[in-house]
Amino acid sequence: MAIRKIRYIGDPCLQKVCKPVTKITPSIRELVEDMFDTMYEARGVGLAAPQVGILRRICVVDVMDDDPILLINPEVVEATGEQTDDEGCLSVPGKCAKVTRADHVVVKSLDLDMNEVIYEGDGLRARAILHEMDHLNGVLYGERASEPYRDLDEEEDWEEE
Ligand code: NI
């Protein structure tokens, strides 16, 4: 288990378009394990590789629904409905803002054997998937928010993505 250093807003890694994974190497496997460890340690519900300084199209999502997801080279197949809610990000600590996103998504991804897998998500799961996929294109949620970042209420038990 290894915890990687999370990059914060202002770090150039968070503004880059990440490259696709072309081959599953031992270092990719290690990165994926470390990303899950880092996400859980930080009590986040998602993490994208550029958030730990690796510019590859990989993200992990776990919205505590007993179905953690690994996304490699993910693509949105379907996005329907609409939801607006507060969102946060491990790379923008202590902040939140309201973001409108699709309420239901279907995404196509690769697994660690480079086989195609399909994941679906509703509500928070859809939001987290779309938030993490934005990171792969160098987009932070603040760019999609309808308002500036607000300070998080310390009392609020918010799950950061
Ligand atoms: Ni984020």
Side-chain angles (χ1 to χ4, degrees):
M1 161 162 173
I3 305 300
R4 303 219 182 179
K5 188 176 167 294
I6 295 177
R7 308 296 180 102
Y8 297 124
I9 185 169
D11 188 304
C13 284
L14 297 173
Q15 298 172 329
K16 300 272 165 61
V17 175
C18 297
K19 293 196 175 116
V21 174
T22 53
K23 193 178 165 196
I24 304 298
T25 60
S27 74
I28 293 280
R29 287 178 187 277
E30 192 182 338
L31 170 67
V32 167
E33 274 183 34
D34 290 354
M35 283 176 63
F36 275 108
D37 291 343
T38 304
M39 171 179 71
Y40 292 132
E41 164 83 7
R43 301 182 67 204
V45 298
L47 188 74
Q51 289 183 278
V52 292
I54 307 290
L55 301 178
R56 289 286 170 178
R57 304 188 76 79
I58 302 174
C59 37
V60 295
V61 170
D62 186 348
V63 294
M64 291 42 143
D65 58 356
D66 296 320
D67 192 14
I69 311 171
L70 163 65
L71 298 173
I72 297 176
N73 301 348
E75 285 172 44
V76 173
V77 175
E78 195 185 307
T80 52
E82 197 179 277
Q83 55 169 328
T84 302
D85 209 344
D86 272 335
E87 202 160 301
C89 178
L90 292 173
S91 293
V92 191
K95 302 287 182 186
C96 67
K98 289 226 183 311
V99 183
T100 299
R101 295 195 188 268
D103 191 47
H104 175 79
V105 290
V106 178
V107 294
K108 188 171 81 172
S109 167
L110 296 176
D111 65 14
L112 283 170
D113 297 314
M114 293 293 268
N115 291 321
E116 194 175 293
V117 276
I118 299 280
Y119 292 107
E120 286 193 55
D122 295 294
L124 177 61
R125 183 173 160 105
R127 172 178 297 282
I129 289 170
L130 293 169
H131 174 116
E132 298 316 326
M133 287 180 65
D134 270 350
H135 276 298
L136 306 181
N137 292 321
V139 174
L140 292 178
Y141 76 95
E143 295 170 49
R144 296 204 186 276
S146 53
E147 56 176 9
Y149 291 117
R150 305 192 316 271
D151 286 333
L152 262 184
D153 182 348
E154 290 286 323
E155 302 298 306
E156 226 173 330
D157 186 22
W158 171 248
E159 297 146 351
E160 293 178 288
E161 290 163 24

